[in-house]
Amino acid sequence: ANLVFALCRDYPNEYGEKIANIALNTYVNQCGQATLAAAEASRENGNSPNTVVCGAVSIVGKKMVEPAVDASNVLMNLFQFAKFSDTDNNFDYAEQLQSAKADKDVLLAGPNDKFADSIAACLSQDTQSVFIKFLLDFAKQEGGKPSTDGMIAAIWTTLGWSGMKSKKITKGTISRLPWYSRIYSTIV
């Protein structure tokens, strides 16, 4: 809850904590990643623990998280004029479902998306977020499955929406929340 507050300037409710844990734990396993190789190389050369972590975090650049940031931007553009401040409310997003077809490649999973099924299964249980419901319904409408990056974007858009609507954070901050999430996952 404190980590979400630090990023979004609002404490999450119980559901918010659940989805934040999903987002933060998605990339904790660094097996086979360049971040792990950098950390191991730094450790093998006798560097201090904080230097080892810095080596791993320095690999988490803009290109690594670009698909999630793009998905956040798509969600923000689709819902920017929506008249709701609480993402737990029901909202008729039929218009957004039609508009999202142009961004199908950003929101739907490709063949190499290894986390998409497990995250979709977790998020589809007791879904309370407008953005997550939208993404799941959009994937069903298009005959695909939501991408991992799209779901991470939907989670962080859900968590940051009320902070943005109350002008505690900016639209740019919401689009970068998946990046910050990936950095925290790497640190852990």
Side-chain angles (χ1 to χ4, degrees):
N2 289 333
L3 181 59
V4 174
F5 178 78
L7 294 172
C8 301
R9 304 292 184 242
D10 274 331
Y11 280 105
N13 58 18
E14 186 178 334
Y15 178 73
E17 285 186 38
K18 173 188 164 191
I19 62 175
N21 283 330
I22 292 169
L24 291 166
N25 288 314
T26 299
Y27 293 107
V28 168
N29 183 355
Q30 298 289 316
C31 184
Q33 299 295 317
T35 51
L36 181 60
E40 286 177 351
S42 183
R43 189 178 304 118
E44 286 174 9
N45 287 302
N47 285 313
S48 63
N50 60 330
T51 307
V52 171
V53 171
C54 287
V57 169
S58 69
I59 304 295
V60 183
K62 203 173 207 171
K63 284 190 177 184
M64 183 180 277
V65 295
E66 193 172 26
V69 170
D70 290 346
S72 286
N73 287 328
V74 166
L75 289 172
M76 293 298 297
N77 289 335
L78 287 170
F79 288 91
Q80 67 184 340
F81 300 114
K83 303 287 186 206
F84 65 89
S85 58
D86 182 11
T87 59
D88 294 346
N89 289 338
N90 288 329
F91 178 75
D92 180 19
Y93 45 73
E95 180 182 323
Q96 285 83 358
L97 282 172
Q98 296 308 312
S99 300
K101 288 182 179 188
D103 298 301
K104 182 177 174 178
D105 58 325
V106 175
L107 299 174
L108 298 182
N112 298 327
D113 198 335
K114 59 185 177 180
F115 299 124
D117 290 328
S118 58
I119 295 175
C122 290
L123 291 178
S124 63
Q125 298 172 8
D126 188 33
T127 305
Q128 298 173 16
S129 161
V130 169
F131 300 105
I132 295 171
K133 286 178 189 175
F134 164 78
L135 192 58
L136 293 170
D137 287 346
F138 179 69
K140 189 184 299 182
Q141 168 188 299
E142 297 298 316
K145 58 186 175 184
S147 69
T148 300
D149 294 314
M151 289 182 280
I152 297 295
I155 288 170
W156 284 109
T157 304
T158 298
L159 295 169
W161 188 260
S162 66
M164 187 201 66
K165 285 295 190 176
S166 61
K167 300 188 187 309
K168 293 178 185 175
I169 62 173
T170 65
K171 196 173 161 182
T173 300
I174 286 186
S175 71
R176 289 186 301 273
L177 287 174
W179 191 358
Y180 304 152
S181 170
R182 187 77 172 259
I183 289 171
Y184 283 119
S185 296
T186 302
I187 290 171
V188 171

